[in-house]
Amino acid sequence: MTTKQKNILILFIAGIVLVLLLLLVIFSGRIPLNDDYTTGNTAGNLNNGGYFCETDDHIFFANAYDNYALYSMNPDETELKKLSNNSVSSINAGGKYLYYAMTSNSNGSGLGFVRRTSGIYRSKQNGSGVVCLDRCHIVTMQLCGNYLYYEKYDNNAGPSLDKIKINKKEKQTLAAERINPNCFVNGIIYYQGADEDHYLHALNTATDTSDVIWKGDIWNPVYQDGYIYYMDVANDYRLCRYSMNDDIIEVLTNDRIDMFNIYGDYIYYQVSSQDAPALKRMYIDGSSQELIKEGVFQNINITSRYVYFNAYNETTPVYKTSTFGPVEVTTFDAAMQAALENMK
């Protein structure tokens, strides 16, 4: 082989290597798309801060014993791992990725306090490859297929509903008003009007168009099996459900409530009362109301095994009870122990 032929061969090989490296960079940076109906977390969890998120085999959660740092564990609370030092909320999972709001250092307390955050982030489920998708003050968000829909607040522009694709493209503002996107079902976001009315609205994520589908007086709607569960604003925030098929309202409890969450056949809800505040549960038809714990609690997050919550205005302890089994309130000791080990 002549010197010229050797040089051509070397250039040819170098060109192939360069092309392969370029393809590797391109494909390694691609985010695999989800099914259009992929949902990042339950509406009930996100309405309660989104501190717990369950996939098929893992729980991702904000560890209150470690300044709400991102952790993972098995559903039975084994193999706890710290994934990030940053405080997180509104945790969503889809495909091989996590999406969450990263919390700033702002302080606040109270049932009505909205935790301000520094932006929306994406990472792999092992916590690596963190990417900021939008730096903003986020109120709440939901993964809807391949887009994140999020309510945010700007000090100058005010509230808005925005969306961005999971690959950090196609960012846009959809509405200059407060819209809670947490209740996403089969391509539709169900939400209450917050500025002009409290009607039930439906936003079609395929077209980003919205229609009023029921002129109720609702707050924090959650869809399940043809029903919209909601807090009845006009009647002292009692808990009701509305049958979308039969156009019928059912009152589930006349107690004024602060918040609720649904999982399977159970509703967990916080009774607002001067004399007898308590966390309770009942079946989804309002029957078999049962006391969980007396007192004022918040951040009711539910997984397939446990219901987690904490006392009003107190970060810890985090309490838990069995989601479906008998009521037995204990504390989330595995999270506390994991936090202590990571602080050594």
Side-chain angles (χ1 to χ4, degrees), residues 322-343:
S322 172
T323 300
F324 298 109
V327 172
E328 184 180 355
V329 177
T330 58
T331 51
F332 190 10
D333 293 340
M336 179 176 63
Q337 184 61 38
L340 291 173
E341 291 176 359
N342 280 292
M343 292 176 187

Side-chain angles (χ1 to χ4, degrees), residues 13-201:
I13 294 173
I16 291 177
V17 171
L18 183 61
V19 170
L20 290 174
L21 288 174
L22 182 61
L23 290 174
L24 179 63
V25 169
I26 292 174
F27 284 101
S28 63
R30 290 181 61 183
I31 304 299
L33 296 182
N34 301 315
D35 181 278
D36 287 341
Y37 293 158
T38 296
T39 303
N41 201 344
T42 67
N45 279 355
L46 293 173
N47 286 341
N48 283 270
Y51 295 114
F52 286 76
C53 178
E54 185 168 9
T55 62
D56 292 336
D57 54 359
H58 278 88
I59 306 291
F60 300 94
F61 69 100
N63 192 343
Y65 292 95
D66 193 3
N67 196 32
Y68 290 95
L70 181 62
Y71 278 66
S72 69
M73 65 178 176
N74 295 327
D76 62 357
E77 298 183 348
T78 59
E79 298 185 20
L80 278 76
K81 298 178 182 178
K82 186 173 183 177
L83 306 181
S84 170
N85 287 318
N86 297 301
S87 302
V88 300
S89 60
S90 295
I91 303 170
N92 284 253
K96 298 180 179 179
Y97 291 88
L98 298 176
Y99 306 86
Y100 47 85
M102 192 176 293
T103 308
S104 67
N105 293 323
S106 60
N107 296 315
S109 61
L111 291 176
F113 174 73
V114 175
R115 183 184 293 272
R116 301 303 182 194
T117 59
S118 58
I120 298 173
Y121 288 78
R122 184 192 70 221
S123 75
K124 295 179 181 178
Q125 290 195 3
N126 63 5
S128 66
V130 179
V131 175
C132 179
L133 300 180
D134 188 15
R135 194 172 298 280
C136 61
H137 296 305
I138 178 175
V139 179
T140 188
M141 72 173 178
Q142 172 69 279
L143 174 65
C144 306
N146 292 299
Y147 293 86
L148 290 161
Y149 284 74
Y150 52 106
E151 181 185 350
K152 73 175 189 179
Y153 185 84
D154 182 270
N155 290 333
N156 296 316
S160 66
L161 177 69
D162 286 37
K163 82 171 192 178
I164 190 169
K165 200 167 186 179
I166 57 175
N167 60 6
K168 202 179 177 179
K169 297 181 179 179
E170 302 179 33
K171 180 182 179 298
Q172 58 183 300
T173 296
L174 301 178
E177 60 181 303
R178 293 181 295 164
I179 293 178
N180 178 340
N182 293 340
C183 185
F184 175 65
V185 183
N186 296 331
I188 303 295
I189 293 174
Y190 297 100
Y191 68 95
Q192 77 274 351
D195 292 339
E196 296 184 2
D197 60 62
H198 292 156
Y199 298 159
L200 178 64
H201 297 246

